């Protein structure tokens, strides 16, 4: 194999994500990425340090994509409508990319400023959506954690085929969104 002209770190990450999307995170190897890139495996070391570095770059891309999706969904909406839009965007992302759930659950290494900032950007979108509820900082953190746990849990279970009953899953998700908005409203009134 000869080095492919124009191969970049971004292109390597794109190829790696395609492998994850097709077969799950366990399928990701540098050898498979190199094969897709049309290069010898050692050529990848010009772009990534090792497999752990590549996984970190995947996490970074996924978290940034999620922040963008949530920001787009929330723009121009308030309170319950914004919460529902966030939930829909999160679920939609994991429906399209079910093998990316792990990238959205792991806490970044505190020494990794870039990934920490990307994760913080996701939280900031949620904090902005929750601001009209009048939460103080601590309440906003608690509400964000609960919102994330509920929506990620639902979307993750759905992505893994965890809902086997015949009742409509979309209707269940609408119930979840209603419960979340009612819960957030009730929580904001407890001040």
């Amino acid at each position: 194999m000869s080095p492919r002209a124009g191969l970049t770190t971004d292109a390597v990450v794109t190829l790696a994500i395609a492998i994850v999307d097709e077969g799950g995170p366990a399928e990701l190897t540098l050898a498979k990425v190199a094969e897709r890139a049309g290069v010898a495996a050692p050529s990848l070391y010009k772009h990534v340090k090792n497999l752990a570095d590549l996984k970190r770059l995947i996490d970074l891309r996924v978290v940034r994509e999620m922040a963008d999706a949530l920001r787009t969904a929330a723009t121009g909406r308030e309170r319950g409508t914004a919460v529902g839009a966030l939930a829909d965007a999160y679920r939609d992302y994991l429906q399209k990319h079910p093998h990316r759930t792990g990238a959205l659950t792991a806490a970044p290494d505190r020494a990794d400023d870039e990934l920490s900032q990307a994760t913080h950007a996701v939280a900031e979108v949620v904090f902005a959506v929750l601001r009209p509820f009048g939460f103080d900082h601590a309440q906003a953190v608690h509400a964000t954690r609960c919102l994330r746990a509920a929506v990620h849990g639902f979307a993750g279970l759905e992505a893994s085929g965890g809902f086997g009953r015949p009742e409509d899953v979309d209707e269940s998700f609408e119930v979840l969104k209603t419960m979340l908005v009612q819960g957030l409203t009730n929580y904001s009134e407890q001040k």
Side-chain angles (χ1 to χ4, degrees), residues 87-109:
D88 287 338
Y90 201 104
R91 180 183 181 214
D92 184 58
Y93 187 88
L94 288 183
Q95 283 178 325
K96 291 177 182 168
H97 312 292
H99 295 300
R100 298 184 189 185
T101 57
L104 297 169
T105 57
D109 180 341

Side-chain angles (χ1 to χ4, degrees), residues 110-131:
R110 292 182 189 265
D112 187 338
D113 289 336
E114 190 176 27
L115 190 52
S116 292
Q117 287 175 7
T119 302
H120 184 71
V122 172
E124 285 302 314
V125 173
V126 180
F127 288 158
V129 164
L130 295 177
R131 205 165 285 123

Side-chain angles (χ1 to χ4, degrees), residues 133 135 179-191:
F133 287 91
F135 296 134
M179 293 172 78
L180 287 170
V181 172
Q182 288 175 352
L184 289 167
T185 301
N186 291 342
Y187 184 51
S188 71
E189 292 169 357
Q190 292 178 8
K191 293 190 270 183

Side-chain angles (χ1 to χ4, degrees), residues 15 27 40 81-82 112 125 165:
L15 292 169
E27 292 298 311
T81 305
D112 187 338
V125 173
R165 301 234 177 222

